[in-house]
Amino acid sequence: MSRSSWPSRHERRRGASLEVLRAEAHDELQTVVMERLRDGEDPWEFMEELPTVDELVVWMLRAELIREDDERRPSAARDYRMLRQIALDHPPLTRTVWTMLGRLEAEAG
């Protein structure tokens, strides 16, 4: 199989199960933690600022929706609808989506 015929990461993720998305997000977060530790940062100081695995999954799914929309930056209303759609498409992420929406609303207002 030639490299050009491999599915892109985006294409693989689009049809991926939630378990696969969570595993991918976990790997990403572990990489961030390891890099920050190598840079000499204290984990007690940075761990709370990192997203959870599910939050990262939501951000990854949101990024896919933005890419599918010709990478146009969404309005606040469109962003809200995208996040709600992620919750509808992935019910186990519903609580995370609503928590994130509440935080975004609090930051905006």
Side-chain angles (χ1 to χ4, degrees):
M1 175 182 260
S2 74
R3 189 168 174 85
S4 62
S5 63
W6 289 352
S8 69
R9 185 176 188 179
H10 169 66
E11 290 169 12
R12 288 191 313 263
R13 188 180 296 143
R14 182 190 251 169
S17 70
L18 186 55
E19 292 78 27
V20 170
L21 294 172
R22 283 175 167 159
E24 195 172 303
H26 180 267
D27 289 346
E28 295 279 344
L29 285 172
Q30 290 304 312
T31 300
V32 169
V33 169
M34 291 305 297
E35 287 299 316
R36 292 183 79 165
L37 290 172
R38 282 188 191 122
D39 286 343
E41 292 186 54
D42 182 353
W44 288 102
E45 293 180 14
F46 71 80
M47 289 302 284
E48 286 188 16
E49 65 189 48
L50 296 178
T52 66
V53 168
D54 280 355
E55 287 171 341
L56 188 53
V57 169
V58 171
W59 289 126
M60 291 176 352
L61 292 168
R62 177 185 173 272
E64 285 181 20
L65 293 172
I66 290 170
R67 274 192 295 277
E68 291 171 0
D69 194 29
D70 296 322
E71 300 199 22
R72 287 184 285 208
R73 184 177 177 97
S75 66
R78 171 81 176 122
D79 205 23
Y80 178 83
R81 286 191 304 272
M82 284 192 307
L83 291 172
R84 280 192 55 202
Q85 189 59 51
I86 290 168
L88 292 171
D89 292 344
H90 304 278
L93 296 175
T94 300
R95 179 174 291 201
T96 300
V97 168
W98 286 108
T99 299
M100 292 169 69
L101 284 169
R103 251 189 265 134
L104 291 172
E105 191 174 288
E107 290 172 8

